Amino acid sequence: MLSDLNLGDGNNLGTTNGRIALDCSVRHTRQGHVCISTTDFFFPLVDSPYLQGRIGAANVLSDLYAEGVGDCDFVLMLLAACRDMNEDERTICTKEMVKGFNDACLEAGTSVSGGQTVLNPWPVIGGVATTICSEGEYVKSDGAQVGDVVVLTKPLGTQVAVNVHEWRVRQTPKWQELSKRNIISLEQAEDMMHAAVCSMSRLNRHAGSLMVKHHAHAGTDVTGFGILGHAQNLMDNQAAEVGMEIHTLPCIANTSKVEESGVLDFRLLKGYSAETSGGLMICMKEEDAVAYCKELEDIDEEPAWIIGRVVEDPNRKASIADDFKTLEVEMKG
């Protein structure tokens, strides 16, 4: 839609044409450093304004982490307070959103140093995250090589979990159908939503900080385009003529069951179900990937998986194998 506007100046690092970046703007500063910055915002998907703020911060920071950095130097907050709430509701909701956002930033070792606030029909929170580093302290997103494997650091299925939660709370016909057909129980639906919230609010900081150590060649995060959409974007950005074959889809427990029920086609198993604050998808050599997954699980106490491989392909196509398998990911604890 915007391709004819000729955006960008050819000086972005880690992109094949140096123009608009994949996840972040990556630029040399006049002083010879590298400035990595990104922006994002988050509409209400959860009942708690505190968690909305926390997930919003995790979502903003995730693009930085996808560049293989573990530290953010500062964050600007973008905040929209809901004009349709009464004053007491707006005050409580806005304070809780900001608290959740700020707590996540503090956990990330960074701070909110400014921003902008407006009134809006919906409460919205997001921001701009920036880090300054040197060459060798981040991973350019265009270096995937034939023979690399693909790692995913969070399970899929957040969109399914959030929607099922909404159906259950509102007692919609879709929830009634799931219950009547014994597709999913009330307890399973609650566990599924809890797992999704825990995943969305967990920072990708450690996943990003380990990328340089384990010689990652390229990475992105999995969000609104779904895993296959982001895989395709990543392959389109590569210097080499490579594609990606995905053979494993780790999914939050019971989300694939909901998908297969036919109550609603989220396109989860086709790779296009939107994720919020999803995991990093990283290309690296297999021996590095095994060590990376082990170290990350030791730190985060959550698994990461090898889900695919990079193949030679002049068409740069990302695809899900016909014989792919799903993994049911149970929440720990």
Side-chain angles (χ1 to χ4, degrees):
M1 181 174 67
L2 303 178
S3 59
D4 61 340
L5 297 182
N6 201 32
L7 299 175
D9 62 0
N11 293 317
N12 269 320
L13 306 176
T15 59
T16 50
N17 58 10
R19 303 192 75 83
I20 298 299
L22 186 65
D23 290 305
C24 295
S25 171
V26 185
R27 313 276 295 188
H28 279 129
T29 69
R30 293 186 302 276
Q31 296 77 20
H33 302 297
V34 176
C35 177
I36 305 176
S37 60
T38 185
T39 185
D40 208 340
F41 53 86
F42 181 54
F43 290 93
L45 282 181
V46 293
D47 299 327
S48 163
Y50 176 86
L51 287 174
Q52 181 189 348
R54 181 174 176 84
I55 294 168
N59 208 39
V60 171
L61 290 163
S62 185
D63 282 341
L64 278 189
Y65 300 145
E67 301 292 338
V69 296
D71 294 308
C72 174
D73 287 301
F74 63 91
V75 173
L76 303 177
M77 182 187 295
L78 304 176
L79 175 67
C82 180
R83 70 184 183 202
D84 295 336
M85 293 178 176
N86 64 46
E87 186 173 351
D88 287 343
E89 290 172 338
R90 181 166 55 248
T91 298
I92 293 170
C93 178
T94 304
K95 281 186 173 180
E96 285 296 300
M97 282 198 307
V98 171
K99 186 176 188 303
F101 190 97
N102 190 59
D103 283 355
C105 288
L106 292 174
E107 182 183 321
T110 190
S111 61
V112 177
S113 60
Q116 182 64 276
T117 304
V118 298
L119 285 173
N120 187 64
W122 288 91
V124 178
I125 195 163
V128 179
T130 301
T131 191
I132 308 296
C133 63
S134 301
E135 288 290 343
E137 293 182 334
Y138 73 102
V139 175
K140 294 180 180 179
S141 54
D142 62 352
Q145 301 175 9
V146 174
D148 282 353
V149 297
V150 182
V151 170
L152 182 67
T153 66
K154 288 185 184 180
L156 308 172
T158 56
Q159 183 186 44
V160 178
V162 168
N163 276 270
V164 170
H165 172 75
E166 185 76 6
W167 298 345
R168 181 184 64 78
V169 169
R170 294 177 178 271
Q171 289 294 300
T172 67
K174 287 184 172 62
W175 172 252
Q176 300 298 337
E177 183 177 351
L178 288 174
S179 298
K180 183 178 180 180
R181 292 170 53 192
N182 294 317
I183 302 298
I184 188 171
S185 68
L186 173 63
E187 182 181 5
Q188 288 172 327
E190 291 175 343
D191 287 347
M192 189 166 64
M193 182 60 178
H194 183 59
V197 169
C198 290
S199 178
M200 291 187 292
S201 60
R202 175 162 57 95
L203 298 177
N204 281 321
R205 185 183 187 188
H206 298 134
S209 67
L210 293 174
M211 287 172 62
V212 171
K213 176 181 179 180
H214 292 283
H215 315 112
H217 295 147
T220 188
D221 63 338
V222 179
T223 52
F225 297 129
I227 189 168
L228 189 57
H230 286 284
Q232 186 60 63
N233 288 344
L234 187 61
M235 292 302 98
D236 287 339
N237 188 64
Q238 298 312 300
E241 292 185 340
V242 292
M244 183 187 297
E245 294 179 355
I246 297 172
H247 54 62
T248 303
L249 296 177
C251 298
I252 294 170
N254 295 305
T255 55
S256 61
K257 187 190 299 185
V258 172
E259 172 77 2
E260 291 168 341
S261 73
V263 172
L264 184 68
D265 183 10
F266 292 98
R267 306 181 76 195
L268 174 65
L269 303 182
K270 299 181 181 73
Y272 292 113
S273 183
E275 303 293 334
T276 297
S277 187
L280 302 189
M281 180 166 53
I282 307 164
C283 304
M284 57 178 69
K285 291 181 179 179
E286 185 168 7
E287 57 268 31
D288 292 325
V290 171
Y292 172 91
C293 290
K294 182 181 185 305
E295 184 169 2
L296 182 59
E297 184 168 4
D298 288 342
I299 297 171
D300 275 352
E301 299 183 345
E302 295 288 348
W305 308 269
I306 294 175
I307 63 159
R309 62 193 183 111
V310 176
V311 298
E312 185 175 358
D313 184 357
N315 296 316
R316 304 175 182 272
K317 184 179 179 182
S319 62
I320 296 177
D322 292 338
D323 59 347
F324 77 92
K325 64 178 181 180
T326 59
L327 297 179
E328 289 281 293
V329 180
E330 299 281 353
M331 185 179 65
K332 288 194 173 183

